Structures are given as structure tokens and as C-alpha cells.
Amino acid sequence: MCLSSLASRIPVRFQEPMRFWNTWGVGGIAKAVMPITSESALAEVRRASSDAGDRLFILGEGSNVLVLDGGIDGWVILLRDDPSPPEIVRSWGNSVEIRVSAGYPLRRLVNWSVRRRLSGLEFAVGIPGTVGGAVAGNAGAQGRSIGDLVSFVRTLEVDGTFSDWGKGDLTFAYRSSPFAGGTSWVTSVGLVLSLSSDGLVRQRLRHFASLRKGQPKNSRTAGCVFKNPPGGSAGLMLDSAGCKGLSVGGAMVSREHANFIENLGDATSDDILKLIDICRSRVRDQFGVNLELEIKVIGDGAL
Ligand SMILES: Cc1cc2nc3c(=O)[nH]c(=O)nc-3n(C[C@H](O)[C@H](O)[C@H](O)COP(=O)(O)OP(=O)(O)OC[C@H]3O[C@@H](n4cnc5c(N)ncnc54)[C@H](O)[C@@H]3O)c2cc1C
């Protein structure tokens, strides 16, 4: 079976501009884009591709990627917008373990847990994307990250079989997980949250939301471009190196937060890459630090 044969049942967009499928709004044409919400459809696609040898890329909401202007010579599977709500698996003492699908939006999960007085995810307020994307990149803020809460992960492998990962199999580090390579696709996740009081959970939510005030809103970005170097802040270094407001083509380093690059409307990936190079060399010259990318560069020509 080949992927095209699934097109009668699963909607496929052939020769699709990737700029419609990431928050930066840039990137060339993909051979095909397949939005998928369910685990069973995802398994069908993976099995079909392993039979036919098609190249597959997995994305959620595309809020942490830079898709190159050369596009993607392969099928992009978008695991997102899964409407199935999280379920409570078990609880003991104040701890509550939930299971949530990888395609479920992270912001909805934060709201879901706050409504149930479940504490733990408040740090994630304001982080766009899917649960799967968050776990693959170990998304976090203010020294907390989703990996700290993960109790199990179910993944779909290249041959279409599922693997179950227990806590002991999982090693998360700063913005990295065992799933970052794109081989094992996260399909569902267990998280352990703590039952708290309504007032406390909402207070923590407001606290974390207030820490985001200095970030650009209503502009097209992919969050922080660079990782913080050990013991330092990429944003502060970029700011002190005079990067705020620098621009190339339609891309500009945010005037509000130097670690964000905004698409002013007609930016290309190439503009963003050139700006990244300029920022990186300014920080290298001033601090002797080589900033590493937090965003993932994907597409033909990406390393
Ligand atoms: C305004 C703004 C603020 C942000 N703030 C933060 C922040 O505070 N902290 C933070 O960590 N990030 C932040 N981000 C970045 C981004 O939102 C997160 O990294 C998010 O978790 C990415 O989820 P996604 O579904 O969009 O992943 P995508 O961007 O679609 O994918 C990112 C990577 O994960 C892989 N991936 C996606 N889904 C899966 C899956 N199911 N299985 C395996 N691999 C998968 C992709 O192949 C890709 O390599 C911000 C972004 C924006 C635009």
C-alpha cells in the first residue's frame, strides 16, 4: 500500500505551501501535507509509508520550527487538533495521573487541568503547540519543563508498531527528549499532576502569565530562537549585543524580547537564517559564546 492510496479516506493536500502550517508563516512547498487527529489513522499512515519508502516528517502546530524556503521533499504529517479530552488514569494522595493524546493542544490541557484544580502545568500558560510537540522538545519555562511531569509515553515506530515507555526509560534534558530525533512519534502521554486548591492554581497561572509580559504578542514568531547557554540568558546577551530591531528582508529581531524574531509579513526562511547568523556572531564577538538553536530547522538543505 502507498500513502496516496489513503488519500480517499484521510484528507491530503498535495504541493502544499508550508507557510500555512507553522507559526512563523514561512517555508516552501511540501510534497504533501496530511492533518491527522487520531492515533489509528497515524498508525495506518506510518505502515503505508514504511511499505512504500516515502519520507515522512511529523509536526504538531509548527510553533517551534523553521521550514526552509526549498520546501520538503516528503509527506508532512500534522498530528494536531485532537478533540479527545484527557482522562484520569488513577489518583493517590494528592497525585493524579492523566493520559492525554499527543495531538491535544497544550493550551487546552492547561485550561483543563486548572478547571480541575490540578497543579503542575501552570508554567506552560502561553506556550502554543501540541502535547506531542511539547514532550518531543521538553517544552518549558522559568526552570520548569513538561518532562518533569511525564510518567509514561506511547510512541509509534517506523514499522507502524507501538512502544510503551515507562518513567525509567525516559531521559529528559533542557529542551530535549528521547523523541527529538523524529523516529519515535509520540502518540499519548501520561502526566502526574497534584490536586490543589482553585485559588492556588489560578494564582500560579497568573504568576506565570505575568512573566510573559515582555514577550511579543500578536506577531508571527516561533518562540525563543536560541537556547539559554549554561548559566546565562540568550535574551539578555542578544539584547546587550544590540540585536533588538535588527532586520533582514521581512524578518526583524523583536524590540520587546531579543530572543524572538518576528515575521513582519513577507519574511522568507532565508531572511530569518541570515538574521540568526548576524545575532549569533554578535553574541560570539561580545561574549565568546556560540548560541545553540532552540528552534528546529526542517526541509531540504537542513542539516
Ligand atoms: C509565542 C510563542 C511562545 C513560545 N514559548 C515557549 C516557551 O515558553 N517554552 C518552550 O519550550 N517553547 C515555547 N515556544 C515554542 C513551541 O511553542 C513549543 O516548543 C511547542 O511545544 C512546540 O509544539 P508544536 O506542536 O508546535 O511542535 P512543532 O513545532 O510542530 O514541532 C517541533 C518538533 O517536535 C517534533 N514533534 C512534533 N510533534 C511530535 C510528536 N507527536 N512526536 C514526535 N515528535 C514530534 C517535530 O518533528 C519538530 O522537530 C513558543 C512558541 C511561540 C510561537
Side-chain angles (χ1 to χ4, degrees), residues 163-265:
S163 300
D164 290 301
W165 305 61
K167 199 169 172 57
D169 311 316
L170 297 164
T171 311
F172 288 97
Y174 174 54
R175 300 297 175 268
S176 123
S177 81
F179 317 110
T183 311
S184 297
W185 291 358
V186 178
T187 61
S188 61
V189 175
L191 298 170
V192 177
L193 305 174
S194 319
L195 193 56
S196 183
S197 74
D198 189 50
L200 207 55
V201 177
R202 286 183 193 279
Q203 186 189 326
R204 283 167 56 85
L205 193 75
R206 280 195 299 275
H207 167 69
F208 284 107
S210 73
L211 298 175
R212 290 194 170 264
K213 288 223 169 88
Q215 297 182 0
K217 282 176 207 67
N218 310 320
S219 53
R220 306 204 73 170
T221 73
C224 288
V225 172
F226 297 103
K227 292 182 185 174
N228 288 324
S233 155
L236 289 179
M237 286 176 171
L238 290 156
D239 194 0
S240 127
C243 295
K244 275 185 179 169
L246 289 178
S247 65
V248 174
M252 185 186 79
V253 178
S254 168
R255 293 186 198 282
E256 289 159 86
H257 192 307
N259 204 4
F260 284 65
I261 292 181
E262 300 177 12
N263 176 358
L264 300 178

Side-chain angles (χ1 to χ4, degrees), residues 58 60-64 127-130 133-134 136 139-140 175 185-186 212 221-223:
I58 181 108
E61 290 182 13
S63 64
N64 200 29
I127 305 183
T130 60
R175 300 297 175 268
W185 291 358
V186 178
R212 290 194 170 264
T221 73

Side-chain angles (χ1 to χ4, degrees), residues 69-91:
D69 295 326
I72 299 178
D73 182 21
W75 289 61
V76 179
I77 310 303
L78 303 169
L79 184 58
R80 57 189 289 167
D81 304 323
D82 189 330
S84 337
E87 52 175 316
I88 292 177
V89 180
R90 63 188 176 119
S91 53

